Amino acid sequence: MSIETPDLANVSTNSSHETVGEYLQKARQARGMTLSDVSDVIKYNVHQLAALEEHKWSALPSGFVLRSIVKQYAIAVGADPEIALSKLAGETNNSAPSTRRNIAARFDTPINEQYEEGSSWVWWLKIIIFTLIAIAIVYVLVVQDTWLADMMAFFRKWFPQ
């Protein structure tokens, strides 16, 4: 299938009252493509593309996947994906989160801010308890000669000198 690039000058691309579905449908028709042609190019179901053109939002996924469908559809039919995505955002409030804001939020917060000032004593208490348990185990195993003597006899039996 060869797809020729038509002149889209006669297609209204900046109409503010035009919906995202109408915008993409006009671009598709101006290119002489069917929904099946677009589906073959972008690998989304024909029913999803028809639902997009008919504004049946309940039949479509939401979030990133819907934005991806719109963007790939626009690219496939030679329309401006930014215009299509802005129309989608205006109709459904489905817009990409601001990357700059998300990255800035990660680096603006100091790492140790999540820990409270008084929480360090809890770690010291855990370390002390662990140390006392380790000392008790060593005392029982080593100082009480029975275990150590049994272990030494085992090794002498299996590994004679």
Side-chain angles (χ1 to χ4, degrees), residues 44 48 52 57-72 84-85 88-89 91-97:
Y44 281 101
Q48 289 178 315
L52 176 62
W57 305 119
S58 62
L60 293 167
S62 60
F64 170 78
V65 177
L66 179 58
R67 289 192 304 274
S68 175
I69 292 172
V70 169
K71 183 176 182 178
Q72 290 181 35
L85 288 172
L88 176 69
E91 292 176 42
T92 64
N93 292 326
N94 184 344
S95 59

Side-chain angles (χ1 to χ4, degrees), residues 19-130:
T19 64
V20 65
E22 293 168 348
Y23 173 71
L24 294 173
Q25 185 178 32
K26 283 183 182 179
R28 175 180 59 79
Q29 291 171 343
R31 237 178 144 163
M33 297 176 75
T34 65
L35 284 175
S36 181
D37 295 336
V38 177
S39 176
D40 290 342
V41 172
I42 67 172
K43 308 299 185 216
Y44 281 101
N45 192 315
V46 174
H47 300 292
Q48 289 178 315
L49 301 179
L52 176 62
E53 287 186 356
E54 298 166 4
H55 304 97
K56 294 181 180 175
W57 305 119
S58 62
L60 293 167
S62 60
F64 170 78
V65 177
L66 179 58
R67 289 192 304 274
S68 175
I69 292 172
V70 169
K71 183 176 182 178
Q72 290 181 35
Y73 190 139
I75 292 169
V77 298
D80 186 353
E82 294 302 319
I83 293 173
L85 288 172
S86 68
K87 289 180 179 291
L88 176 69
E91 292 176 42
T92 64
N93 292 326
N94 184 344
S95 59
S98 170
T99 306
R100 184 169 189 238
R101 180 189 53 162
N102 291 342
I103 291 173
R106 290 183 189 159
F107 293 110
D108 287 345
T109 306
I111 293 173
N112 291 332
E113 187 174 291
Q114 62 183 336
Y115 300 110
E116 297 176 13
E117 288 290 323
S119 68
S120 64
W121 70 270
V122 174
W123 284 105
W124 282 111
L125 182 62
K126 290 178 182 178
I127 290 170
I128 291 170
I129 290 173
F130 178 76

